[in-house]
Amino acid sequence: MKKKVIIGLALTAMMTVTAACSEEKVDYTVAISQVVEHPSLDATREGFLKAFEDAGIKVKADYNNAQGDPNNYKSIAETIASSKADLALGIATPTSQALVEAITDKPVLFAAITDPVDAGLVPKLQAPGGNVTGASDLDPQSITDLMEFIAKEFPNVKKVGTVINESEDNSVIMSGIAAEALAKHGIEYVKAAVANSSDVQQAAQSLVGRVDAIYIALDNTAVEGLDAIIDVAEENDIPFFSADRDTVVRGAFATIGFQYFDHGYEVGQMAIEILKDGKNPGEMDVKTPQKLDFVLNLKAAKEQGIEVTDAMKAYVKDKANILE
């Protein structure tokens, strides 16, 4: 990759990075709108671009970070719509929604989306029609299975708390699935609401003494303030579960997840089929996660006062997902 150019826009507080020098001959230009920077979303973007690299295709990547500011979603989308980009990628729900609304004359792909139909990105998952397709990062059964793991392996857990931004559709949907699954085991689901990442520490602290465990969905606001949740969990010996592997790598105890790099790579392969092979995005099914497995962080367990049993480890199919 050639040198990166970072342009700070004072009025919108968004960041744009263009990869590949203007003098370098490229095959395609792809524009990316990402809601915020955090490990899962960054890995998605990196996997997307790696697919082009592995295919020997040179792309100019116009990367836009909206920094979680709703004012930026539309402005980024409109800029991409009027640009000469060959294809647009939205990473996360709000930025993808803005792209779909603004762009009708070029392919739009999405990634890191919980429910593309509910979000209004596509009318259906199979051959969605139009100029939009992509990949969902949700398998509802993975949430249900994780809640059953909590109920079975942590019998003293009677209340599970969550930090949630209820303006994020993805988080609301996943939290609803978690709450329903926990209710079947007589476990209460307790919400601590946030509006932005600066609220996360106070919200996490508010759960202390009220819950026996913490779970966060694919909530971009909560993940942006993840260190605060980890600190609260470790200081108070509260088991901390999450919906994605990258959060477990950073310090949550367990999830059922997959590699977001692989998720982005898969979307990159879809983009190549569209740009190089001439496929119609409207005829390409929306993809869903396939490589799911339990992931346990043993160091995090120790910090959170969890005794990891052989029974817990037995849930993990690939022992590489037992992180030391």
Side-chain angles (χ1 to χ4, degrees):
M1 181 179 290
K2 297 294 183 179
K3 70 176 183 178
K4 295 181 178 179
V5 180
I6 300 178
I7 305 171
L9 302 181
L11 294 178
T12 61
M14 65 184 177
M15 185 177 76
T16 301
V17 177
T18 301
C21 292
S22 57
E23 297 86 358
E24 183 180 11
K25 185 182 182 301
V26 297
D27 299 306
Y28 304 103
T29 298
V30 295
I32 301 171
S33 182
Q34 182 173 317
V35 65
V36 293
E37 289 191 330
H38 70 60
S40 295
L41 303 187
D42 294 343
T44 299
R45 183 182 75 252
E46 291 160 5
F48 176 78
L49 295 174
K50 187 65 165 61
F52 286 97
E53 180 183 329
D54 287 351
I57 299 172
K58 293 183 178 180
V59 295
K60 178 181 178 182
D62 175 21
Y63 165 53
N64 301 272
N65 171 19
Q67 297 188 346
D69 185 345
N71 294 320
N72 291 334
Y73 307 154
K74 183 177 180 180
S75 60
I76 290 173
E78 290 176 345
T79 298
I80 293 173
S82 62
S83 75
K84 294 182 179 180
D86 298 294
L87 178 145
L89 169 68
I91 301 179
T93 301
T95 43
S96 296
Q97 288 171 324
L99 289 176
V100 169
E101 183 177 348
I103 301 172
T104 59
D105 61 348
K106 65 183 71 175
V108 177
L109 294 179
F110 54 77
I113 304 293
T114 298
D115 189 334
V117 175
D118 185 79
L121 300 176
V122 291
K124 56 182 180 176
L125 299 183
Q126 287 75 40
N131 64 316
V132 182
T133 190
S136 168
D137 59 4
L138 172 65
D139 180 340
Q141 190 61 43
S142 68
I143 302 174
T144 300
D145 289 349
L146 182 62
M147 297 307 112
E148 290 180 354
F149 173 81
I150 295 172
K152 183 175 181 179
E153 302 300 332
F154 294 80
N156 294 328
V157 170
K158 304 303 179 186
K159 294 183 179 182
V160 173
T162 190
V163 176
I164 180 172
N165 182 344
E166 295 190 286
S167 69
E168 293 191 28
D169 293 342
N170 50 310
S171 188
V172 172
I173 292 167
M174 297 180 76
S175 285
I177 296 170
E180 183 178 346
L182 289 169
K184 292 179 180 179
H185 298 280
I187 299 174
E188 184 180 347
Y189 195 62
V190 180
K191 296 180 181 179
V194 295
N196 53 62
S197 59
S198 63
D199 299 333
V200 171
Q201 182 175 12
Q202 183 176 353
Q205 193 65 45
S206 76
L207 295 172
V208 177
R210 300 168 57 210
V211 303
D212 308 301
I214 295 173
Y215 163 78
I216 60 168
L218 293 172
D219 187 300
N220 296 308
T221 306
V223 175
E224 196 174 9
L226 182 65
D227 289 345
I229 303 175
I230 293 172
D231 288 345
V232 168
E234 292 180 351
E235 289 170 6
N236 297 278
D237 286 348
I238 301 174
F240 175 27
F241 304 86
S242 74
D244 70 290
R245 189 183 196 281
D246 294 299
T247 300
V248 171
V249 171
R250 289 180 63 187
F253 165 56
T255 190
I256 301 176
F258 57 92
Q259 297 274 12
Y260 268 84
F261 182 91
D262 295 339
H263 175 70
Y265 194 96
E266 188 171 45
V267 179
Q269 291 176 316
M270 296 177 75
I272 292 168
E273 290 183 72
I274 293 168
L275 294 174
K276 184 179 178 181
D277 302 334
K279 281 199 174 182
N280 180 348
E283 297 176 357
M284 301 172 69
D285 295 350
V286 173
K287 296 185 180 295
T288 54
Q290 300 297 319
K291 301 177 182 178
L292 291 167
D293 192 9
F294 271 86
V295 185
L296 306 180
N297 184 329
L298 302 188
K299 182 176 183 295
K302 183 177 180 181
E303 296 293 339
Q304 295 163 25
I306 301 168
E307 181 181 350
V308 180
T309 64
D310 290 339
M312 293 180 187
K313 293 179 181 179
Y315 285 84
V316 184
K317 290 178 286 188
D318 181 352
K319 298 312 176 185
N321 286 325
I322 298 178
L323 312 178
E324 300 291 345

